[in-house]
Amino acid sequence: MWMTNTKYLSFLHSDFVGPRLKHHTSKISDFSDLNSVATFGFRGEALSSLCALGKLTVETRTKDEQVGTHLEFEHSGVVTSERKIARQVGTTVTIEKLFSTLPVRGKEFSRNIRKEYGKVISLLNAYALIAKGVRLLCTNIVGKNSKMVVVKTQGSSSLKDNMITVFGLNTFKCLEPFNVAISEDCQVEGFLSKPGPGSGRNSGDRQFFYVNGRPVDMPKVTKLVNELYRSSNSKQYPVAVLNFCIPTTSYDVNVAPDKRKIFFSSEHTILLSLREAIENLYSPQQCSFSINHIEDPEKEEDPAIVEPNESADLIEKENVSSPEK
């Protein structure tokens, strides 16, 4: 994982021990600070978990340093080795021998490797779509020196460019910008599939929901979007990328350790406003359908047969042009 946030690096260098120990964080000093945390998580949980799963090494250098620092950690999170190295500005976090300390979980992971791999790619795509000004690159080594690029973004500052990079231009052409103001300080912005057949997908694998840029699970919103989309396309699922911009005091993200579950203080109001806006998008009058004209082969005109009307016109012309007797 490559990171270039110099503020993060500065803290990392000032306290090598703390960020790796369980429950350590610099983001809160009082219980009330939990209501204003805008970052994605706490390093004391994520990095200590990595230490417990395998061999963790970190290389880091801030823009104010001439050289970088190489750190090695034991499974408890304590630094076991520290030395100076030459490297560019940034941080590289490497974990090796994954699940070596948990053989039973490692065996289960290997048995479901395809499923777990799909979850990792889906999570990376979620961050790749919403992260602005951040370049992401994920590769997978499938054979001897065979490296395949799985996720790659260019560090764009717009959601539109990120979606084109991740999904492709053809998919983006099937999307409609979606913006709704639920209140003065609560807005939903993003993209949804256009109404009508052919604009969706056979599965709901491209549905991503965010709260202030944080990827979260929103089962009620997912059900609402899929249900209303079926009024215009009953055989497919919509592509959905929606970001809920809400004050930090209006929701609680500290429900589960992975912070994927969200509690809203006014969930009913949000769902009602969202339903009204999506219904307007997928109402029947907004849908367009292509109609192909198919000719009946039994009614094809036989050149040897003259229609009755044409015969009458021909007789009338002959009578007009015939000389008088």
Side-chain angles (χ1 to χ4, degrees), residues 50-178:
L50 291 178
C51 290
L53 290 177
K55 179 183 178 182
L56 180 71
T57 59
V58 177
E59 293 183 355
T60 179
R61 178 192 162 195
T62 66
K63 62 181 181 179
D64 299 325
E65 295 176 308
Q66 296 297 322
V67 295
T69 304
H70 176 90
L71 302 166
E72 296 182 6
F73 300 86
E74 63 180 25
H75 298 312
S76 63
V78 177
V79 177
T80 59
S81 174
E82 177 183 344
R83 69 176 188 270
K84 298 300 180 180
I85 59 171
R87 63 157 293 132
Q88 62 185 23
V89 174
T91 296
T92 302
V93 180
T94 306
I95 181 170
E96 301 173 291
K97 299 179 180 179
L98 194 62
F99 295 116
S100 59
T101 58
L102 302 168
V104 176
R105 184 174 293 184
K107 186 179 295 184
E108 184 71 15
F109 180 80
S110 299
R111 188 167 55 200
N112 300 300
I113 188 65
R114 290 183 179 274
K115 181 180 179 180
E116 298 298 330
Y117 177 76
K119 290 181 180 179
V120 170
I121 299 305
S122 178
L123 182 62
L124 286 175
N125 281 332
Y127 283 105
L129 289 170
I130 202 67
K132 298 178 181 179
V134 178
R135 186 176 68 89
L136 296 179
L137 175 62
C138 175
T139 58
N140 181 30
I141 300 177
V142 294
K144 292 184 177 180
N145 300 324
S146 178
K147 185 182 291 186
M148 179 178 64
V149 176
V150 180
V151 178
K152 183 178 181 180
T153 61
Q154 305 300 325
S156 174
S157 59
S158 72
L159 177 61
K160 173 185 174 181
D161 292 341
N162 287 343
M163 294 186 66
I164 293 175
T165 302
V166 176
F167 292 157
L169 184 59
N170 290 335
T171 298
F172 183 78
K173 289 180 179 179
C174 297
L175 303 180
E176 189 84 17
F178 181 83

